[in-house]
Amino acid sequence: MSTSNTARERWALVGWAALALGVRLAAIPRALGDVDGVNFARALTRFDPLAQAPHLPGYPVYVLCARLFAALGAPEVWALALPGVLASVAGILVLFAAVARHFGPRPAHLTAAALTALPGAVLAAGWPTSDGLGLGLLCVTLGLAGLAAPTPAARPRPVLAASAGLALGLLMGVRLSAWPLVAGAAPLLAAAALRRPQLRPAALAAAGGAALGLLAWAVPMALLVPPATLLSQGAAFAQGHFTDFGGAAPSADALPARLLTMLWGLVAATLGASWPAEPLAEPAALGVLALAAVAVGVIVRGPRRLTPPLVGALAVLGGYLVWVWLGQNVDKPRHLLPVVPALALGLGLALARTRVPALLVAAVLLAVSVPRAMTQGGLPPAAELVRHVIRSHPPEGVQIFAGEEARLFERYAPAHRVWRVTDPAVLARETAAAAARGATVLVVSGAAGWPALQAELTEEARFATPRTVQAHDPELVLYRFQPSPERLLHATR
């Protein structure tokens, strides 16, 4: 490659990085927007997974990164978002180098365009939780692995393989739910090393790096939290995740519906299409679907030979999707983020065989991503709800019943009395009792069992964001509770 071409490639890479950084910074909200964000914000000053700061498994690598930004003076929302923003930009750069090494510059630019502007990647990086850092570290891991892998003209690179393993071990301290990727990749790497002796030094280096990455956060966790307590509490948390609060309790009847929800989450939240039975959010989303259709068409009409590495990668990815289907909350498409690098690479490799320019791919995706990033960059519905209550209702004489939003009240309106309700019977009993004491009773639609009180609820305010921006709980309604005379009489007895 000539010097001028090399300089042009470098400037193009700088352009992708700047574009990715700008759109992700625009997606950082003005306040915390969910219970996870509050838990992470609490960990900025007191790390205690057993006290939900944050909840188990603790996310120690992410918390450490966020604390570093907080120590540099970043506000809590920015301290929680910047690790994901910067890691995602780094992931684009490293993955670009790996794709260029194996497939050439055009697929690398198309892959970078997709990673830069895919709506799911943009919104996850800007949201103040661990998802953006997890996606960025995954891209870094894949990129380093690609740079370490042999080519017809180069031997394996053990140092880069060790770096890839280290990044993977650290990823487990950011998003432990990505464990199926590790569990699936390990035997594939071992099998490759056994079949090809020249890969053994790199495979051993990768395994050593992964062990070092795991120990880097597991040992401090064991020092901060007694291991026996951590294991017992972790087991209880895992059981609850599958039954109560994780939204992942699988049943035979629910499995088809869960699969459909997961697939639509992949298409809608990640690629940018609209949700079923809803109007198209942006006309540009049709362009995203058109690009995806072109890519699928090229893949279908292309060579059908599946190499062993490709088969192994597809098996690992399929195993992860099964884990999401059976063991994760499919209402939250952020659990599908580990699929994003594969989607980006698939788009890049497929579209490289057409004349579609990388800038056009980025422009079409950004036409969807930018409006959503600007929307997410405002106040989330839960934060807007809290601000409304602060402005409209003094703390004295007010009793609020809410769902997960109660944690936001604790953070931003600690003087207001809020009860987080998970039992409909408790809501029915305590709202009447509070009204009987003369309190102004407010009920948020996130509280369990609120529909049973609809005859006694008067809507006061509604706070919503497009479901394409916030798939889970995109709308919250604040009600004023006015009990019937019969219920009030019963509550005073």
Side-chain angles (χ1 to χ4, degrees):
M1 185 180 292
S2 67
T3 303
S4 60
N5 286 339
T6 301
R8 191 180 302 114
E9 290 295 322
R10 288 176 179 173
W11 280 111
L13 200 54
V14 170
W16 291 128
L19 194 60
L21 180 64
V23 70
R24 282 157 175 75
L25 290 177
I28 299 177
R30 290 160 48 195
L32 301 173
D34 57 15
V35 63
D36 289 334
V38 174
N39 288 338
F40 284 126
R42 295 172 62 195
L44 293 178
T45 54
R46 182 173 178 267
F47 178 75
D48 186 358
L50 301 181
Q52 305 292 306
H55 67 66
L56 289 169
Y59 312 89
V61 175
Y62 169 67
V63 170
L64 176 62
C65 293
R67 279 190 166 192
L68 291 176
F69 284 104
L72 294 174
E76 64 179 14
V77 174
W78 280 71
L80 294 173
L82 283 176
V85 170
L86 298 181
S88 64
V89 174
I92 291 171
L93 299 179
V94 178
L95 202 54
F96 175 95
V99 176
R101 180 171 185 258
H102 290 276
F103 302 104
R106 176 163 165 74
H109 281 293
L110 287 162
T111 302
L115 278 176
T116 294
L118 275 172
V122 169
L123 297 184
W127 193 251
T129 56
S130 63
D131 300 292
L133 179 57
L135 176 59
L137 261 182
L138 178 59
C139 290
V140 169
T141 301
L142 295 174
L144 289 173
L147 293 173
T151 67
R155 303 178 66 180
R157 302 173 177 177
V159 173
L160 289 176
S163 301
L166 178 65
L168 185 61
L170 293 176
L171 173 63
M172 294 296 95
V174 177
R175 295 295 303 168
L176 192 59
S177 61
W179 66 266
L181 299 177
V182 181
L188 293 178
L189 183 62
L194 290 174
R195 293 183 58 186
R196 300 178 61 183
Q198 66 270 29
L199 293 179
R200 289 175 188 171
L204 290 174
L212 183 61
L214 287 169
L215 291 173
W217 60 266
V219 171
M221 278 285 289
L223 295 176
L224 291 171
V225 183
T229 304
L230 187 63
L231 289 174
S232 62
Q233 294 286 345
F237 177 85
Q239 182 180 4
H241 175 81
F242 284 102
T243 55
D244 301 324
F245 48 83
S251 66
D253 294 335
L255 290 180
R258 287 174 57 82
L259 180 61
L260 184 61
T261 301
M262 184 185 77
L263 293 177
W264 271 112
L266 183 63
V267 174
T270 304
L271 287 177
S274 61
W275 291 82
E278 290 186 3
L280 195 63
E282 305 95 358
L286 291 174
V288 177
L289 292 180
L291 284 175
V294 170
V296 171
V298 171
I299 292 173
V300 171
R301 292 176 59 85
R304 298 178 181 272
R305 190 174 73 89
L306 296 179
T307 62
L310 180 58
V311 172
L314 291 176
V316 172
L317 197 62
Y320 179 79
L321 289 175
V322 171
W323 153 244
V324 175
W325 178 32
L326 299 179
Q328 286 285 33
N329 189 338
V330 293
D331 291 329
K332 297 181 178 180
R334 59 188 178 86
H335 293 122
L336 296 166
L337 286 174
V339 183
V340 167
L343 289 175
L345 181 59
L347 283 171
L349 294 178
L351 295 177
R353 300 169 62 188
T354 70
R355 295 187 177 183
V356 177
L359 283 177
L360 177 60
V361 173
V364 171
L365 291 172
L366 287 172
V368 178
S369 297
V370 170
R372 297 185 186 184
M374 299 301 292
T375 299
Q376 181 173 284
L379 273 180
E384 196 173 1
L385 163 71
V386 174
R387 185 177 68 169
H388 169 83
V389 171
I390 292 173
R391 292 179 174 179
S392 304
H393 298 279
E396 298 80 9
V398 173
Q399 173 65 60
I400 305 168
F401 295 90
E404 292 183 348
E405 315 79 47
R407 193 62 61 85
L408 283 167
F409 279 98
E410 294 174 9
R411 191 72 179 175
Y412 292 130
H416 285 75
R417 186 180 180 186
V418 183
W419 194 329
R420 181 176 177 179
V421 182
T422 58
D423 186 343
V426 171
L427 179 66
R429 181 181 69 247
E430 295 301 327
T431 49
R437 294 193 299 268
T440 298
V441 180
L442 303 177
V443 178
V444 183
S445 58
W450 73 268
L453 305 178
Q454 278 186 316
E456 299 164 290
L457 296 177
T458 303
E459 181 177 327
E460 179 174 314
R462 185 178 295 261
F463 312 93
T465 195
R467 194 180 177 192
T468 49
V469 174
Q470 184 173 316
H472 185 65
D473 294 334
E475 182 178 78
L476 291 171
V477 184
L478 179 66
Y479 297 98
R480 184 187 291 266
F481 176 70
Q482 297 172 319
S484 62
E486 294 81 6
R487 186 190 294 268
L488 191 61
L489 178 62
H490 183 270
T492 56
R493 289 179 179 175

